[in-house]
Amino acid sequence: MTNKRENWLLFTLAGIQFTHILDFMIMMPLGPQFTRIFGINDAQFGLLVSAYTLAGGLSGLVASTFIERFGRKRMLLTLYTFFGLSALACALAPGYAALILARILAGIFGGVLSSLSQTIVGDVIPFENRGRAMGIVMSSFSVASVAGVPVGLWLAEHFGWHAPFFGIASLCAALGIFAALTMPALDEHLGRQSGTSALGRIKAVLADANHRRAFAFSAAMMLAGFTIIPYLAINLQYGIGLRSDQLPYVYLFGGVASLALARWFGRLTDRWGKVKSFRLLASAVIVPMFAVALLPYGTPLWVAIGVSTFFITCMSGRMIPGMAIVTSAGNPALRGTFMTLNASVQSAAMGFAALIGGHLIARTANGQVQDFWQAAAVGAAFSIAAVWLAGTLDLHASQAKKL
């Protein structure tokens, strides 16, 4: 694959990731609306978030039994079609219970999309360039923050919370057609798996001690962030005192900074090394973790934006070397199964982290958030664990096959 076609593929994957990430991200700043409209508490909102991730974890386990039997493109487009329909189901949900069911469906199909995109990167991008490639694909997180979340919040503010999900479903339809027309088949892995059963591949993945350490590393990364991230908007509005119309600015500035630095983080990962870069960013994020949790009520908007931007930038930035580490830790012959199981681990960790965070924070009699620092303390502990685990992994430095 030429550099031009390689970049074209990466930007296609980034577009698919954009809708998948936006679908997950938009739930969190909508937290204040959901708690008010549905009359639910923070723990029940945490269940709404974790329903997606726990379903994604379960679907990843199931997908690991058959993912290597199909071409990457065919699998990606099938999952993406059903994911788009799930987004439409969210848009049409009439209430809390129906929305939970729709989020479960979205998690079932969306949870595997991320791992499949990362598997494709591992299949076609050489080891020494994976940091740059992950920077492109994972810049979708920043674009979702810059464009997707503010627009989604604006739609929700003016047309109701259903509107952002109608928009996501429409984007899925357009991007799915584009991917079908432009992506190569990506089925070279099929020949390497002939004669190997799905159960045999899973056993082979789990038997590798390096894979088990990589799963622990992935779980620690997710637990570090998602005790805090789902409740950031709730804390900003009910703990710090921002208005609902000010929340889009937090995600806008955080996304702009993350997007501006994503490619630089990718190049830094390739130049400094994956482990060293991750350790730097995962350690740095602890500072804004506590800062965003300890801001007092009445904090000026510009201070809240500055601290939140620092937090969002470090949190998203550490994922670039982090996922480059995970992708490289997998045995290339088992990468599809490994990455799918890894997606299950990450989704489960995100779901449990959201549940933990929802039970750690509390509200005063007038609805003001308190004890958010406890969620930050748990996140910091897991971030430190991830920093240590990163150094225990063996990375496969073999060249990826050129297509």
Side-chain angles (χ1 to χ4, degrees), residues 25-45:
M25 284 184 64
I26 195 64
M27 290 295 296
M28 292 173 275
L30 288 176
Q33 281 200 41
F34 287 136
T35 55
R36 184 183 70 253
I37 293 171
F38 296 144
I40 58 176
N41 59 35
D42 295 327
Q44 289 173 308
F45 171 67

Side-chain angles (χ1 to χ4, degrees), residues 81 88 95 133 135-136 152 176 183 218 240 244 297 320 343 353 361 374 395:
T81 298
L88 182 60
I136 292 174
M183 285 183 66
S218 283
I240 296 173
S244 60
Y297 193 85
I320 294 172
I361 63 177
Q374 295 183 19
L395 307 185

Side-chain angles (χ1 to χ4, degrees), residues 260-300:
L261 292 173
R263 301 289 290 273
W264 182 80
F265 284 143
R267 291 193 296 270
L268 180 72
T269 297
D270 292 331
R271 186 179 303 118
W272 277 22
K274 298 166 180 57
V275 173
K276 184 177 180 181
S277 300
F278 175 80
R279 283 177 161 172
L280 172 66
L281 292 168
S283 298
V285 78
I286 294 174
V287 176
M289 263 186 197
F290 280 104
V292 78
L294 295 173
L295 288 175
Y297 193 85
T299 295

Side-chain angles (χ1 to χ4, degrees), residues 4-287:
K4 185 175 181 180
R5 292 186 62 201
E6 187 177 277
N7 287 334
W8 199 249
L9 173 63
L10 291 174
F11 284 115
T12 301
L13 293 175
I16 291 173
Q17 284 281 78
F18 167 78
T19 49
H20 155 58
I21 291 170
L22 178 59
D23 176 78
F24 178 67
M25 284 184 64
I26 195 64
M27 290 295 296
M28 292 173 275
L30 288 176
Q33 281 200 41
F34 287 136
T35 55
R36 184 183 70 253
I37 293 171
F38 296 144
I40 58 176
N41 59 35
D42 295 327
Q44 289 173 308
F45 171 67
L47 180 61
L48 193 58
V49 173
S50 61
Y52 179 100
T53 55
L54 293 176
L58 181 60
S59 71
L61 289 175
V62 175
S64 66
T65 65
F66 60 80
I67 193 168
E68 297 286 10
R69 296 169 55 187
F70 301 97
R72 307 290 193 216
K73 177 180 179 178
R74 179 181 177 187
M75 178 64 68
L76 188 74
L77 291 177
T78 300
L79 290 170
Y80 196 51
T81 298
F82 284 106
F83 172 75
L85 292 173
S86 301
L88 182 60
C90 292
L92 297 173
Y96 179 70
L99 184 58
I100 284 185
L101 179 59
R103 296 310 294 163
I104 290 172
L105 292 174
I108 288 172
F109 300 111
V112 186
L113 280 174
S114 181
S115 66
L116 191 54
S117 297
Q118 293 156 11
T119 299
I120 292 171
V121 171
D123 283 346
V124 304
I125 306 298
F127 175 85
E128 65 274 10
N129 293 329
R130 275 181 207 151
R132 180 191 68 86
M134 283 296 179
I136 292 174
V137 174
M138 297 191 71
S139 65
S140 53
F141 173 88
S142 304
V143 176
S145 298
V146 172
V149 171
V151 171
L153 289 176
W154 182 86
L155 289 172
E157 188 77 18
H158 290 81
F159 302 103
W161 65 265
H162 304 270
F165 295 102
F166 279 117
I168 292 169
S170 300
L171 282 174
C172 287
L175 285 168
I177 294 171
F178 179 78
L181 295 174
T182 61
M183 285 183 66
L186 300 172
D187 56 6
E188 282 71 17
H189 66 287
L190 295 177
R192 299 197 297 265
Q193 297 296 331
S194 57
T196 305
S197 69
L199 184 59
R201 289 192 296 272
I202 293 173
K203 287 182 176 179
V205 169
L206 296 178
D208 190 326
N210 194 55
H211 289 167
R212 296 196 298 271
R213 291 193 298 272
F215 292 150
F217 170 71
S218 283
M221 277 200 302
M222 297 300 106
L223 287 161
F226 281 87
T227 53
I228 302 171
I229 293 172
Y231 307 100
L232 179 61
I234 289 175
N235 183 60
L236 289 171
Q237 189 165 344
Y238 297 120
I240 296 173
L242 298 189
R243 301 190 309 270
S244 60
D245 62 326
Q246 293 174 324
L247 290 179
Y249 295 107
V250 172
Y251 291 90
L252 175 63
F253 281 92
V256 167
S258 298
L259 181 61
L261 292 173
R263 301 289 290 273
W264 182 80
F265 284 143
R267 291 193 296 270
L268 180 72
T269 297
D270 292 331
R271 186 179 303 118
W272 277 22
K274 298 166 180 57
V275 173
K276 184 177 180 181
S277 300
F278 175 80
R279 283 177 161 172
L280 172 66
L281 292 168
S283 298
V285 78
I286 294 174
V287 176

Side-chain angles (χ1 to χ4, degrees), residues 322-360:
M323 289 313 303
I325 288 171
V326 172
T327 303
S328 301
N331 183 337
L334 298 166
R335 184 174 284 125
T337 303
F338 167 76
M339 292 302 295
T340 305
L341 288 173
N342 179 71
S344 293
V345 171
Q346 289 187 332
S347 294
M350 290 162 64
F352 283 121
L355 291 175
I356 291 169
H359 283 88
L360 286 176

